[in-house]
Amino acid sequence: MAPSVIKFDHLERMTDDTGLLEHSLGRIPRRREGYSTDDNARAIWACLEWLALLDDQETKERLYRLLDRYLAFLLWAQNDDGTFHNNFFFDRTKEEETPSDDCFGRSFWAAAIAYRQLDDAARREAAADMLRRALPAAWELRSLRGVAWGLAACSGLLKEEGVPGVDKKELAALAGRFERQLLEAYETHADGSWRWYEPELTYANGVLPWSLWTAYRRMPRQEVRKAAEESLNFLIEKMSGPAGVIRPIGNRGWCSRRYRADWDQQPLDVMKLALAAREAYWATEDKRYRDVVRRCLAWFYGSNDGRVPLADRSDGSCCDGLGPNGPNPNRGAESTLSYLLTAAIAQSISVEVVVDESINNETVRMAGTRV
Protein backbone atom coordinates (compact mmCIF):
# COMPACT_ATOMS: atom_id res chain seq x y z
CA MET A 1 0.00 0.00 0.00
CA ALA A 2 1.50 3.31 -1.02
CA PRO A 3 1.85 5.93 1.75
CA SER A 4 -0.39 8.37 -0.19
CA VAL A 5 -3.32 5.96 0.13
CA ILE A 6 -3.54 6.37 3.92
CA LYS A 7 -6.56 8.50 4.84
CA PHE A 8 -7.46 10.15 8.13
CA ASP A 9 -11.00 11.20 7.19
CA HIS A 10 -12.74 8.85 9.62
CA LEU A 11 -10.39 9.75 12.46
CA GLU A 12 -11.31 13.39 11.91
CA ARG A 13 -15.01 12.48 11.62
CA MET A 14 -14.83 10.81 15.04
CA THR A 15 -13.10 13.83 16.61
CA ASP A 16 -14.89 16.91 17.95
CA ASP A 17 -13.63 19.92 19.89
CA THR A 18 -13.33 17.81 23.07
CA GLY A 19 -11.48 14.83 21.68
CA LEU A 20 -12.00 11.47 20.02
CA LEU A 21 -15.46 9.92 20.46
CA GLU A 22 -15.44 6.25 21.41
CA HIS A 23 -18.14 4.55 19.30
CA SER A 24 -19.96 4.86 16.02
CA LEU A 25 -23.07 3.49 14.32
CA GLY A 26 -21.65 2.46 11.00
CA ARG A 27 -19.45 5.43 10.17
CA ILE A 28 -21.48 7.99 12.13
CA PRO A 29 -20.18 8.92 15.62
CA ARG A 30 -22.44 7.92 18.53
CA ARG A 31 -22.19 10.95 20.79
CA ARG A 32 -24.33 9.35 23.49
CA GLU A 33 -21.45 6.88 24.12
CA GLY A 34 -19.05 9.69 25.02
CA TYR A 35 -15.25 9.54 25.15
CA SER A 36 -12.53 7.31 26.57
CA THR A 37 -9.04 8.37 27.61
CA ASP A 38 -7.82 5.03 26.25
CA ASP A 39 -8.77 6.05 22.72
CA ASN A 40 -7.39 9.57 22.98
CA ALA A 41 -4.08 8.19 24.23
CA ARG A 42 -4.00 5.76 21.28
CA ALA A 43 -4.82 8.67 18.97
CA ILE A 44 -1.79 10.63 20.23
CA TRP A 45 0.35 7.61 19.44
CA ALA A 46 -1.17 7.14 15.97
CA CYS A 47 -0.64 10.80 15.06
CA LEU A 48 2.99 10.63 16.19
CA GLU A 49 3.66 7.43 14.23
CA TRP A 50 2.35 9.01 11.04
CA LEU A 51 3.94 12.40 11.57
CA ALA A 52 7.30 10.61 11.60
CA LEU A 53 6.51 8.93 8.27
CA LEU A 54 4.69 11.47 6.11
CA ASP A 55 6.21 14.17 3.94
CA ASP A 56 3.00 15.85 2.81
CA GLN A 57 2.83 19.15 4.68
CA GLU A 58 -0.94 19.56 4.41
CA THR A 59 -1.56 16.13 5.95
CA LYS A 60 0.99 16.79 8.67
CA GLU A 61 -0.74 20.06 9.59
CA ARG A 62 -4.03 18.18 9.76
CA LEU A 63 -2.51 15.61 12.10
CA TYR A 64 -1.01 18.30 14.33
CA ARG A 65 -4.46 19.89 14.69
CA LEU A 66 -5.90 16.53 15.74
CA LEU A 67 -2.92 15.81 18.00
CA ASP A 68 -3.49 19.04 19.93
CA ARG A 69 -7.07 17.99 20.72
CA TYR A 70 -5.93 14.60 21.97
CA LEU A 71 -3.14 16.11 24.08
CA ALA A 72 -5.63 18.57 25.57
CA PHE A 73 -7.98 15.68 26.34
CA LEU A 74 -5.25 13.78 28.17
CA LEU A 75 -4.27 16.85 30.19
CA TRP A 76 -7.91 17.29 31.18
CA ALA A 77 -8.40 13.60 32.01
CA GLN A 78 -5.46 13.48 34.43
CA ASN A 79 -6.57 13.50 38.06
CA ASP A 80 -4.93 15.48 40.86
CA ASP A 81 -3.15 12.32 42.04
CA GLY A 82 -1.53 11.80 38.63
CA THR A 83 -3.81 8.97 37.49
CA PHE A 84 -6.15 9.26 34.50
CA HIS A 85 -9.93 9.03 34.48
CA ASN A 86 -10.98 6.89 31.54
CA ASN A 87 -14.68 7.28 30.71
CA PHE A 88 -16.57 10.53 30.11
CA PHE A 89 -20.12 11.28 29.06
CA PHE A 90 -20.69 13.47 25.98
CA ASP A 91 -21.39 16.44 28.28
CA ARG A 92 -17.80 16.07 29.59
CA THR A 93 -18.83 14.79 33.02
CA LYS A 94 -17.08 11.76 34.46
CA GLU A 95 -18.70 8.33 34.38
CA GLU A 96 -18.41 6.23 37.52
CA GLU A 97 -15.67 3.66 37.09
CA THR A 98 -13.07 1.49 38.75
CA PRO A 99 -9.58 2.93 38.14
CA SER A 100 -7.81 1.12 35.32
CA ASP A 101 -4.12 0.24 35.28
CA ASP A 102 -4.40 -0.28 31.52
CA CYS A 103 -5.69 3.26 31.01
CA PHE A 104 -2.99 4.73 33.22
CA GLY A 105 -0.22 2.75 31.54
CA ARG A 106 -1.43 3.62 28.05
CA SER A 107 -1.71 7.31 28.95
CA PHE A 108 1.75 7.27 30.54
CA TRP A 109 3.10 5.74 27.32
CA ALA A 110 1.34 8.37 25.17
CA ALA A 111 2.82 11.20 27.25
CA ALA A 112 6.27 9.58 27.03
CA ILE A 113 6.30 9.22 23.27
CA ALA A 114 4.87 12.72 22.86
CA TYR A 115 7.76 14.09 24.90
CA ARG A 116 10.27 12.03 22.96
CA GLN A 117 9.02 12.65 19.42
CA LEU A 118 7.70 16.19 19.42
CA ASP A 119 10.16 18.98 18.74
CA ASP A 120 8.22 22.10 19.75
CA ALA A 121 8.50 23.41 23.30
CA ALA A 122 4.81 23.95 24.04
CA ARG A 123 3.65 20.44 23.18
CA ARG A 124 6.67 18.88 24.88
CA GLU A 125 5.94 20.81 28.06
CA ALA A 126 2.37 19.50 28.08
CA ALA A 127 3.75 15.96 27.84
CA ALA A 128 6.42 16.64 30.49
CA ASP A 129 3.80 18.03 32.87
CA MET A 130 1.75 14.84 32.56
CA LEU A 131 4.83 12.70 33.13
CA ARG A 132 5.89 14.60 36.24
CA ARG A 133 2.42 14.25 37.75
CA ALA A 134 2.05 10.59 36.70
CA LEU A 135 5.39 9.26 37.90
CA PRO A 136 4.48 8.82 41.62
CA ALA A 137 1.28 6.99 40.68
CA ALA A 138 3.13 4.71 38.26
CA TRP A 139 4.66 2.88 41.23
CA GLU A 140 1.18 1.56 42.04
CA LEU A 141 0.72 -0.30 38.74
CA ARG A 142 0.00 -3.98 39.26
CA SER A 143 -1.88 -5.42 36.25
CA LEU A 144 0.52 -6.87 33.68
CA ARG A 145 -0.69 -4.81 30.74
CA GLY A 146 -0.44 -1.58 32.71
CA VAL A 147 3.04 -2.65 33.82
CA ALA A 148 3.98 -3.40 30.19
CA TRP A 149 2.95 0.06 29.03
CA GLY A 150 4.88 1.53 31.95
CA LEU A 151 8.01 -0.43 31.10
CA ALA A 152 7.90 0.67 27.45
CA ALA A 153 7.40 4.30 28.51
CA CYS A 154 10.32 4.18 30.95
CA SER A 155 12.57 2.38 28.45
CA GLY A 156 11.99 5.11 25.90
CA LEU A 157 12.44 7.99 28.33
CA LEU A 158 15.70 6.54 29.63
CA LYS A 159 17.15 6.94 26.14
CA GLU A 160 16.59 10.70 26.40
CA GLU A 161 18.84 13.21 28.16
CA GLY A 162 16.08 13.61 30.73
CA VAL A 163 12.67 15.09 31.41
CA PRO A 164 12.77 18.34 33.44
CA GLY A 165 11.55 17.59 36.94
CA VAL A 166 11.78 13.81 36.53
CA ASP A 167 14.55 12.02 38.43
CA LYS A 168 16.26 9.68 35.98
CA LYS A 169 17.38 7.37 38.79
CA GLU A 170 13.78 6.99 39.89
CA LEU A 171 12.78 6.30 36.29
CA ALA A 172 15.44 3.57 36.03
CA ALA A 173 14.30 2.03 39.33
CA LEU A 174 10.70 2.03 38.11
CA ALA A 175 11.72 0.36 34.84
CA GLY A 176 13.57 -2.29 36.82
CA ARG A 177 10.52 -2.95 38.94
CA PHE A 178 8.25 -3.31 35.91
CA GLU A 179 10.72 -5.62 34.20
CA ARG A 180 10.92 -7.86 37.27
CA GLN A 181 7.14 -8.04 37.51
CA LEU A 182 6.89 -9.30 33.94
CA LEU A 183 9.79 -11.74 34.25
CA GLU A 184 8.39 -13.14 37.50
CA ALA A 185 4.98 -13.61 35.89
CA TYR A 186 6.61 -15.43 32.99
CA GLU A 187 8.64 -17.65 35.29
CA THR A 188 5.51 -18.47 37.31
CA HIS A 189 3.32 -19.56 34.40
CA ALA A 190 5.59 -20.64 31.55
CA ASP A 191 6.69 -24.21 30.90
CA GLY A 192 7.65 -26.32 27.90
CA SER A 193 4.22 -26.19 26.27
CA TRP A 194 2.85 -22.89 27.61
CA ARG A 195 5.25 -19.99 27.16
CA TRP A 196 3.19 -17.16 28.55
CA TYR A 197 2.84 -14.77 31.50
CA GLU A 198 -0.66 -15.83 32.52
CA PRO A 199 -2.76 -19.00 32.56
CA GLU A 200 -4.76 -17.64 29.59
CA LEU A 201 -4.19 -15.62 26.44
CA THR A 202 -6.84 -12.91 26.61
CA TYR A 203 -6.78 -9.41 25.07
CA ALA A 204 -3.99 -7.14 23.82
CA ASN A 205 -1.50 -9.94 24.38
CA GLY A 206 1.26 -8.48 22.23
CA VAL A 207 2.04 -5.66 24.67
CA LEU A 208 3.66 -8.13 27.09
CA PRO A 209 6.51 -9.40 24.88
CA TRP A 210 6.70 -5.98 23.19
CA SER A 211 7.53 -4.23 26.44
CA LEU A 212 10.33 -6.68 27.21
CA TRP A 213 11.74 -6.16 23.72
CA THR A 214 11.80 -2.38 24.39
CA ALA A 215 13.71 -3.04 27.60
CA TYR A 216 16.11 -5.39 25.80
CA ARG A 217 16.83 -2.83 23.09
CA ARG A 218 17.73 -0.28 25.76
CA MET A 219 19.89 -2.64 27.81
CA PRO A 220 20.47 -6.09 26.24
CA ARG A 221 20.31 -8.95 28.73
CA GLN A 222 19.85 -12.60 27.89
CA GLU A 223 17.15 -13.22 30.51
CA VAL A 224 14.98 -10.47 29.06
CA ARG A 225 15.53 -11.60 25.48
CA LYS A 226 14.71 -15.21 26.33
CA ALA A 227 11.32 -14.32 27.82
CA ALA A 228 10.51 -11.83 25.06
CA GLU A 229 11.49 -14.20 22.27
CA GLU A 230 9.84 -17.32 23.65
CA SER A 231 6.58 -15.56 24.49
CA LEU A 232 6.35 -13.70 21.18
CA ASN A 233 7.02 -16.87 19.18
CA PHE A 234 4.36 -18.64 21.24
CA LEU A 235 1.88 -15.82 20.58
CA ILE A 236 2.62 -15.87 16.84
CA GLU A 237 1.98 -19.63 16.83
CA LYS A 238 -1.32 -19.22 18.68
CA MET A 239 -2.43 -16.36 16.39
CA SER A 240 -1.63 -18.10 13.09
CA GLY A 241 -4.18 -20.13 11.13
CA PRO A 242 -3.85 -22.15 7.92
CA ALA A 243 -1.32 -20.82 5.42
CA GLY A 244 -0.11 -18.34 8.02
CA VAL A 245 -3.28 -16.23 8.06
CA ILE A 246 -3.45 -14.18 11.24
CA ARG A 247 -6.16 -15.53 13.56
CA PRO A 248 -6.61 -13.39 16.69
CA ILE A 249 -7.64 -15.03 19.95
CA GLY A 250 -11.45 -14.81 20.08
CA ASN A 251 -13.10 -12.89 22.90
CA ARG A 252 -15.79 -15.56 23.31
CA GLY A 253 -13.69 -17.61 25.71
CA TRP A 254 -10.04 -16.64 25.05
CA CYS A 255 -7.30 -19.30 24.94
CA SER A 256 -6.12 -21.67 27.66
CA ARG A 257 -4.04 -24.83 27.61
CA ARG A 258 -7.16 -26.81 26.69
CA TYR A 259 -9.33 -24.45 24.66
CA ARG A 260 -9.06 -21.72 22.04
CA ALA A 261 -11.87 -19.40 20.93
CA ASP A 262 -11.71 -18.29 17.30
CA TRP A 263 -14.43 -15.63 17.53
CA ASP A 264 -14.90 -12.73 17.75
CA GLN A 265 -11.63 -11.37 16.43
CA GLN A 266 -10.58 -7.84 17.38
CA PRO A 267 -8.41 -5.44 15.32
CA LEU A 268 -6.68 -4.32 18.52
CA ASP A 269 -5.13 -7.75 19.00
CA VAL A 270 -3.73 -7.76 15.47
CA MET A 271 -2.16 -4.35 15.99
CA LYS A 272 -0.53 -5.42 19.26
CA LEU A 273 1.01 -8.46 17.54
CA ALA A 274 2.39 -6.21 14.79
CA LEU A 275 3.79 -3.87 17.43
CA ALA A 276 5.63 -6.69 19.20
CA ALA A 277 6.91 -8.14 15.93
CA ARG A 278 8.30 -4.77 14.81
CA GLU A 279 10.16 -4.34 18.10
CA ALA A 280 11.56 -7.86 17.79
CA TYR A 281 12.63 -7.15 14.22
CA TRP A 282 14.43 -4.00 15.31
CA ALA A 283 16.16 -5.97 18.09
CA THR A 284 17.16 -9.01 16.05
CA GLU A 285 16.87 -8.14 12.33
CA ASP A 286 15.14 -11.50 11.94
CA LYS A 287 13.00 -11.26 8.80
CA ARG A 288 10.43 -13.69 10.23
CA TYR A 289 9.17 -10.89 12.44
CA ARG A 290 8.93 -8.56 9.47
CA ASP A 291 6.74 -11.14 7.77
CA VAL A 292 4.47 -11.21 10.82
CA VAL A 293 3.94 -7.47 10.41
CA ARG A 294 3.05 -8.07 6.76
CA ARG A 295 0.51 -10.73 7.72
CA CYS A 296 -1.01 -8.45 10.35
CA LEU A 297 -1.57 -5.66 7.85
CA ALA A 298 -2.91 -8.15 5.31
CA TRP A 299 -5.50 -9.26 7.92
CA PHE A 300 -7.12 -5.82 7.68
CA TYR A 301 -7.32 -6.09 3.89
CA GLY A 302 -8.99 -9.50 3.71
CA SER A 303 -6.32 -12.10 4.41
CA ASN A 304 -8.30 -13.36 7.39
CA ASP A 305 -10.70 -16.16 8.32
CA GLY A 306 -13.63 -14.31 6.77
CA ARG A 307 -11.79 -13.47 3.53
CA VAL A 308 -13.26 -9.99 3.79
CA PRO A 309 -11.63 -6.57 4.22
CA LEU A 310 -12.20 -4.81 7.53
CA ALA A 311 -10.33 -1.61 6.70
CA ASP A 312 -11.64 0.90 4.18
CA ARG A 313 -8.79 2.76 2.54
CA SER A 314 -11.14 5.42 1.16
CA ASP A 315 -11.50 7.03 4.61
CA GLY A 316 -9.14 5.15 6.95
CA SER A 317 -11.94 3.49 8.93
CA CYS A 318 -12.06 -0.07 10.22
CA CYS A 319 -14.83 -2.45 11.29
CA ASP A 320 -15.04 -3.14 15.01
CA GLY A 321 -14.40 -6.87 14.73
CA LEU A 322 -14.75 -10.07 12.73
CA GLY A 323 -17.23 -12.76 13.73
CA PRO A 324 -18.37 -16.06 12.18
CA ASN A 325 -21.05 -14.16 10.21
CA GLY A 326 -18.74 -11.43 8.98
CA PRO A 327 -17.51 -8.02 10.11
CA ASN A 328 -19.15 -5.81 12.70
CA PRO A 329 -20.31 -2.87 10.53
CA ASN A 330 -19.60 -0.23 13.18
CA ARG A 331 -16.30 1.63 12.88
CA GLY A 332 -15.34 2.97 16.28
CA ALA A 333 -12.21 4.66 17.54
CA GLU A 334 -10.33 1.61 18.84
CA SER A 335 -10.64 -0.41 15.63
CA THR A 336 -9.86 2.54 13.37
CA LEU A 337 -6.76 3.42 15.39
CA SER A 338 -5.70 -0.24 15.38
CA TYR A 339 -5.74 -0.18 11.58
CA LEU A 340 -3.97 3.16 11.29
CA LEU A 341 -1.30 2.06 13.76
CA THR A 342 -0.74 -1.29 12.04
CA ALA A 343 -0.34 0.49 8.71
CA ALA A 344 2.18 2.89 10.28
CA ILE A 345 4.07 0.03 11.96
CA ALA A 346 4.32 -1.74 8.60
CA GLN A 347 5.50 1.37 6.75
CA SER A 348 8.12 2.12 9.41
CA ILE A 349 9.92 -1.10 8.45
CA SER A 350 9.07 -0.71 4.75
CA VAL A 351 6.47 -3.46 4.54
CA GLU A 352 3.71 -2.79 2.02
CA VAL A 353 0.63 -4.83 1.19
CA VAL A 354 -0.88 -4.04 -2.19
CA VAL A 355 -4.45 -5.29 -2.47
CA ASP A 356 -6.10 -6.48 -5.66
CA GLU A 357 -9.65 -5.26 -5.01
CA SER A 358 -11.23 -7.51 -7.66
CA ILE A 359 -10.16 -10.84 -6.20
CA ASN A 360 -9.39 -9.72 -2.65
CA ASN A 361 -5.90 -11.13 -2.35
CA GLU A 362 -2.63 -9.46 -1.74
CA THR A 363 0.83 -9.24 -3.18
CA VAL A 364 3.69 -8.05 -1.09
CA ARG A 365 6.62 -5.78 -1.70
CA MET A 366 9.32 -5.38 0.91
CA ALA A 367 11.60 -2.45 0.29
CA GLY A 368 14.84 -1.65 2.08
CA THR A 369 14.64 -1.53 5.83
CA ARG A 370 14.40 1.78 7.65
CA VAL A 371 14.92 1.56 11.40
Side-chain angles (χ1 to χ4, degrees), residues 3 56 90 199 208 263 270 291 317:
D56 178 67
F90 182 65
L208 304 181
W263 310 105
V270 180
D291 184 63
S317 66

Side-chain angles (χ1 to χ4, degrees), residues 215-235:
Y216 176 78
R217 289 187 69 207
R218 179 181 70 86
M219 186 181 297
R221 280 152 296 156
Q222 188 56 38
E223 179 187 18
V224 175
R225 175 168 178 160
K226 180 175 183 292
E229 198 162 39
E230 288 180 355
S231 59
L232 178 54
N233 291 345
F234 178 71
L235 181 61

Side-chain angles (χ1 to χ4, degrees), residues 264-282:
D264 289 342
Q265 300 178 9
Q266 304 298 309
L268 180 72
D269 293 306
V270 180
M271 182 271 284
K272 296 295 174 60
L273 178 61
L275 177 68
R278 177 178 68 172
E279 201 71 27
Y281 176 71
W282 279 340

